[in-house]
Every structure is written in structure tokens, then in C-alpha cells.
Amino acid sequence: MTFHKFSYTYSLVVLIHSSSNQYLSKAFFHGLPTVLCKIVGVYQLGYHNRVTGKRTMEQVAVMQNIFFGRNISKIFDLKGSLRGRFTRQGNLDKDKKSSKKSKRYKRSKSDATSDSDSYSSGDEEEDDDDLSIPDSSGVERDGKMSNDGEKGEKASIPTLLDGDFLEFTSGRPLPLTDRAKAVFHMSILNDTLFLSIINVLDYSILVGIDEEKMELVVGIIDFMRQYDILKQMERVGKSLPMVVGSEAPTIIQPPLYKARFTNAMERYFMTVPSKWTTI
């Protein structure tokens, strides 16, 4: 399970929780495809610091962990917008990769008189794949194991954004089978229509790449924000410094947010036909 702390009013989150449960129940009994993450529970946690006398109240939503039992090598949080949606992780990976290749090339030049070239030797481990592949146990290791057989702790995987996703795919859509694309497309349409009806925006879809099973694990998260007066003021504030031709602000009305989100999913993922695909 995943714990999500939020700063919205407790009554609003309970309302969204109740609406999402009714929607997921309807989807289950009527066989409607959905990728909306389940909210397990919503809680208020209060504590009192007896030293300072300060009382604190926090709201916590417990959500489904869609990556449980999976060997995830890449995680993307996609909203369908490129405005401020890029991390430095992709650049760091590229710099690290080029640095390693440069070091190997320098070593090969220094050993040019030897019988074999260390840059092209098969004895040296190559590192020309950006994706880290965990072992079958799902735990990434440092290449060694202690005498008592203890496994190393699993390394944390950074969450990348829309710009990183396009860089990862080189600007091309990620291929899906025709069956997977059809279910994904219908799920996005169903879920975004429901979220638009209850006036929710600012949600995103979490995409994990399970290389062991060659599958994508997806789920819509962060659907706890309604388009209230604060969001309307935030939208106006972000629109003022914009110039003509620049990308639209990230805060827009729920129907427009739905349209932008669904259009982006169509650009990010595509159908790859197979011998069973009907034309």
C-alpha cells in the first residue's frame, strides 16, 4: 500500500473517496475497464508535542500499490503536459554513460600496443543499456553477496516525468499490442470522464516498466484535487506571465484537462499490429 499525505479538507477527500468507490464498484460489476488506483482508506492523524505544546492534524490517504511484487526498472508520472515536466535524471544517466565510455576509450589508447583492445574486449562488462535490469528475486545487487547470504537493499527508482518519457522513447510512441492498447484506451476514457464529472483535475498516470515480464504497469493517481476557487486563482496567476505561442498552463478546467490528458495518452502509446490483428 502507498501512503499519501494531503493538505485538502478532510470532507472533500472523503467525498472523492466515496465517489471513486462507487465508480470502481460499478466498473467491477459491469466489466468496465479502468486503471484508477483504489483508495483503501482515508484517515486523520493528530498528535500533540508536549514539549512545545503544538498540536498537529494531518490527513492521510492509503492507496493501492500497483508495483507490489513487480520488478520495475523505470517509473514515469505522466500528466500530458511538458510545462515544467522534466527532471535532470535523464541527463545524469547520459553523462554517467558517456563518462564510462570515455574512460574505457582512454584505457584502450594507453594499451594500444597490447594484443587486445580493452575498449572492444568482450571480457569487460558493457554498459550500453540505459535500463537497469534487476535479478529474478526483484532485488538489485551490487554484484557481491555477504558470507551469510544476505541480499542488498533494493535501490530506489527515481520517478521521471513527461519530458523524460519522450526522451526515453526518442519522441516516438511506446508500442502496445492491439488488445492492450484497446483496454488502455477505454480505461483512460472511462476514468477521465468520471473525474471530469466530479470536477477533479491535476491527476496523472503512473507507468512502470516491468522488464522481466515485458509488461507496463499503469494506474491513475493523485485524483484528490477539485477545481475550486483556489485552483481558479492559481490558473489566472499562471496565465498572466504567458506569451503568445507558449504552452497552456498546467491548471485548466476539468473538461480541458481531460481532453489534454487523453490526447497525450494517444501520442505516448500506439498499437503494434500482430498476425491476429484484424484490419
Side-chain angles (χ1 to χ4, degrees):
M1 291 182 292
T2 302
F3 293 86
H4 174 68
K5 185 174 72 173
F6 54 89
S7 57
Y8 324 133
T9 60
Y10 182 73
S11 58
L12 172 61
V13 176
V14 170
L15 177 62
I16 296 176
H17 179 206
S18 175
S19 301
S20 65
N21 282 346
Q22 294 177 19
Y23 167 74
L24 292 173
S25 176
K26 180 180 178 181
F28 175 78
F29 286 108
H30 292 272
L32 302 177
T34 176
V35 292
L36 201 69
C37 285
K38 302 178 183 65
I39 301 178
V40 180
V42 180
Y43 306 93
Q44 283 193 112
L45 304 179
Y47 52 91
H48 178 212
N49 190 330
R50 295 185 178 181
V51 177
T52 61
K54 183 180 180 181
R55 296 179 182 271
T56 306
M57 183 71 70
E58 292 182 348
Q59 291 79 31
V60 177
V62 183
M63 302 191 71
Q64 170 191 12
N65 183 6
I66 62 175
F67 296 150
F68 178 76
R70 294 279 191 163
N71 292 329
I72 303 298
S73 59
K74 288 277 188 181
I75 299 176
F76 296 96
D77 185 299
L78 307 177
K79 284 191 174 184
S81 173
L82 295 178
R83 188 181 178 92
R85 302 285 297 168
F86 188 79
T87 67
R88 295 185 64 250
Q89 185 64 32
N91 293 334
L92 292 176
D93 292 342
K94 282 188 174 182
D95 293 343
K96 190 182 298 183
K97 177 181 173 183
S98 61
S99 175
K100 288 182 179 179
K101 288 187 175 181
S102 176
K103 288 180 181 179
R104 289 201 300 268
Y105 178 69
K106 288 180 180 178
R107 287 200 303 270
S108 67
K109 288 185 65 178
S110 63
D111 299 337
T113 57
S114 62
D115 294 334
S116 61
D117 192 344
S118 64
Y119 180 71
S120 59
S121 171
D123 298 334
E124 187 172 344
E125 183 182 353
E126 294 293 336
D127 186 30
D128 51 5
D129 194 349
D130 290 339
L131 296 178
S132 60
I133 304 177
D135 62 4
S136 59
S137 65
V139 179
E140 295 183 5
R141 306 185 185 183
D142 57 358
K144 297 181 181 179
M145 182 178 287
S146 59
N147 295 331
D148 57 356
E150 265 189 34
K151 299 176 182 178
E153 293 184 359
K154 187 174 181 180
S156 61
I157 303 175
T159 301
L160 307 177
L161 305 179
D162 295 69
D164 307 291
F165 179 81
L166 293 179
E167 186 180 72
F168 171 71
T169 61
S170 300
R172 297 186 291 268
L174 203 64
L176 299 176
T177 63
D178 51 352
R179 171 61 179 167
K181 181 61 168 63
V183 173
F184 177 77
H185 177 69
M186 287 303 301
S187 300
I188 294 298
L189 291 181
N190 291 338
D191 296 341
T192 54
L193 177 61
F194 161 70
L195 295 174
S196 178
I197 290 174
I198 63 174
N199 211 30
V200 167
L201 76 167
D202 212 22
Y203 47 86
S204 60
I205 186 167
L206 202 62
V207 179
I209 300 178
D210 186 341
E211 287 195 329
E212 183 178 322
K213 297 183 178 180
M214 298 298 294
E215 294 177 346
L216 291 183
V217 185
V218 300
I220 292 181
I221 59 171
D222 293 343
F223 48 91
M224 295 287 188
R225 169 65 78 178
Q226 281 192 313
Y227 189 64
D228 52 13
I229 185 63
L230 295 178
K231 278 294 181 182
Q232 295 179 33
M233 294 175 62
E234 184 179 352
R235 176 180 178 271
V236 173
K238 289 186 175 181
S239 301
L240 291 177
M242 290 179 57
V243 296
V244 177
S246 61
E247 191 174 351
T250 55
I251 306 300
I252 54 179
Q253 295 91 337
L256 297 179
Y257 191 94
K258 169 186 175 297
R260 186 180 68 185
F261 187 86
T262 53
N263 290 337
M265 295 305 107
E266 286 297 306
R267 297 194 310 269
Y268 291 170
F269 304 94
M270 65 174 291
T271 301
V272 176
S274 64
K275 60 182 181 181
W276 294 286
T277 303
T278 58
I279 301 177

